[in-house]
Amino acid sequence: AIGTLQTPTNKAPLAGGSTAPFEPSRSGKVEIRMDQLLYHPGGSQAREKYRAEWNIACWQYYKKMNDTLFDTRSTMLQLHKAILFREVAEKGLTLATEQYALAKTMLAGGASTERDVKASDSDVAEAEQLLSKARTAVELARSELQRTIGWDGQPIEIGKLDIMLSDVPTMLQALELARKKRAEFKILDQSIAAAENGVALAGLQNSPTVSARAAAGTQTPGAYTESQYLAGSLVLTWHPFDNARTKTDVKEAKSKLSSLKLQKLELESGVQAEFRKCLLDYNDSIGRMASIQRQIESAETTLQISRLRYEANSATQVEVSAAIFGVVR
């Protein structure tokens, strides 16, 4: 809708000596226009490209969820580890306290010295410091877990965690699972689909398009215009001399497609290497757990022998202290 106010009023001469307004001082115009694309090459490719890009956004969101889940599991394991260290520190304090009581009893019976009592008291103080650090580590790990999951409710407590694998897949099974479930593969697959449609669209950008246009309106009549009018047309748009740019864009799109395919191959190789490393680390952890368990049993036996020898006045407090913290380590 257009309204115009101007001055002066221009008039055009007509037959018979009369005149008519050529440009009225006050004029108005109301028009309805329609422009409809009838044919554009690459419409289906554009829809497929858009659908692929939408799926990429969805899988990126899903990947972020997986990352958060992984962070949550990691912080839960850190909290579990901190709780286990606290239990170890509590056990160490118990051992040191028992030895301190034994040293005082033997001192009262004349079978020990004041120096041994002070040494065992120092062991208790050291064990208390270790326990204090372990409790602080638990609270820090619990706070980190609460921060990771956005939890502001009651303090989080977790029980024992079973982290043993019941069924370890083969390399081929692991790769197939990764292709089906890992968001990185889905994002690359959709990126490749979008790039393939991008190549097709780049090759069609200089193809002709056909549009239909129509207009209907009413306006203030002038010397050469009627008060109402209708118009319609078919418009063919074509850029026949834009072939060089089209070739350049196609080449660039194909280069991007090739890069994405190489990224997928690289991702597959990375998954295989990652799985192989995880499997080796897992087997190494199982072996170390068995070895450490034997070391614990040996350290506990050494402590028992050291205490018996101390009670028989065949060992010093230094030897017993070393045995106590050998168990803790």
Side-chain angles (χ1 to χ4, degrees):
I2 301 174
T4 303
L5 176 63
Q6 62 182 11
T7 187
T9 300
N10 298 318
K11 295 184 177 181
L14 300 178
S18 61
T19 60
F22 180 69
E23 290 181 325
S25 59
R26 294 182 178 86
S27 63
K29 178 180 179 181
V30 178
E31 184 181 58
I32 297 176
R33 297 178 182 178
M34 184 273 291
D35 192 343
Q36 175 62 47
L37 183 66
L38 299 180
Y39 171 74
H40 190 295
S44 61
Q45 290 88 346
R47 285 191 296 270
E48 292 299 324
K49 186 173 183 289
Y50 169 78
R51 186 177 294 111
E53 290 173 347
W54 171 262
N55 290 335
I56 289 172
C58 293
W59 279 108
Q60 285 175 341
Y61 175 75
Y62 181 74
K63 181 179 182 299
K64 199 65 178 177
M65 290 176 60
N66 274 349
D67 292 342
T68 303
L69 178 60
F70 179 80
D71 292 341
T72 302
R73 287 177 172 174
S74 298
T75 50
M76 283 188 66
L77 288 173
Q78 289 298 324
L79 176 57
H80 182 65
K81 178 180 178 181
I83 290 174
L84 292 180
F85 274 117
R86 183 184 63 186
E87 293 175 357
V88 170
E90 289 171 348
K91 181 179 179 181
L93 179 58
T94 300
L95 293 175
T97 303
E98 291 174 353
Q99 180 60 26
Y100 178 58
L102 176 61
K104 289 197 299 183
T105 301
M106 292 181 66
L107 177 63
S112 181
T113 64
E114 185 68 29
R115 187 177 65 179
D116 287 349
V117 174
K118 290 183 178 180
S120 60
D121 185 26
S122 176
D123 292 342
V124 172
E126 184 177 351
E128 288 175 345
Q129 290 180 3
L130 291 175
L131 179 57
S132 177
K133 292 180 180 179
R135 287 172 176 170
T136 301
V138 170
E139 293 307 315
L140 290 175
R142 183 180 287 112
S143 299
E144 180 63 19
L145 178 58
Q146 290 177 304
R147 184 196 66 80
T148 301
I149 64 177
W151 176 257
D152 56 358
Q154 297 298 321
I156 295 175
E157 293 293 341
I158 63 173
K160 298 295 183 182
L161 296 181
D162 182 13
I163 57 174
M164 303 294 289
L165 295 180
S166 58
D167 185 18
V168 180
T170 64
M171 178 65 72
L172 292 177
Q173 290 172 336
L175 183 58
E176 189 62 27
L177 282 171
R179 286 172 178 159
K180 289 180 179 179
K181 302 206 171 194
R182 284 188 61 162
E184 295 92 329
F185 277 97
K186 298 296 184 180
I187 291 173
L188 273 177
D189 287 340
Q190 295 300 319
S191 298
I192 290 173
E196 288 174 344
N197 286 286
V199 171
L201 287 172
L204 295 172
Q205 63 182 335
N206 66 336
S207 300
T209 61
V210 179
S211 301
R213 295 180 182 176
T218 180
Q219 62 185 3
T220 303
Y224 303 107
T225 58
E226 298 291 341
S227 60
Q228 296 180 346
Y229 63 91
L230 295 173
S233 61
L234 286 177
V235 180
L236 174 66
T237 305
W238 186 28
H239 304 280
F241 304 107
D242 201 18
N243 194 42
R245 178 183 175 184
T246 299
K247 288 183 177 179
T248 301
D249 290 345
V250 169
K251 185 177 180 180
E252 182 179 351
K254 287 182 176 180
S255 177
K256 180 179 179 181
L257 177 60
S258 300
S259 176
L260 289 170
K261 289 181 177 180
L262 288 175
Q263 288 181 33
K264 185 174 181 180
L265 293 176
E266 184 178 352
L267 179 60
E268 290 179 349
S269 300
V271 166
Q272 294 182 35
E274 182 182 351
F275 175 73
R276 188 178 293 108
K277 181 181 182 302
C278 289
L279 191 58
L280 291 173
D281 290 344
Y282 174 74
N283 291 330
D284 179 62
S285 297
I286 298 299
R288 285 192 295 113
M289 285 171 62
S291 175
I292 290 172
Q293 185 60 42
R294 291 196 300 271
Q295 291 177 358
I296 292 174
E297 294 172 356
S298 175
E300 290 175 341
T301 301
T302 301
L303 176 59
Q304 293 175 1
I305 294 174
S306 298
R307 279 185 165 175
L308 292 174
R309 294 181 69 239
Y310 179 77
E311 292 177 3
N313 288 324
S314 298
T316 64
Q317 175 60 32
V318 175
E319 181 180 334
V320 178
S321 300
I324 290 174
F325 291 102
V327 173
V328 174
R329 283 192 296 272

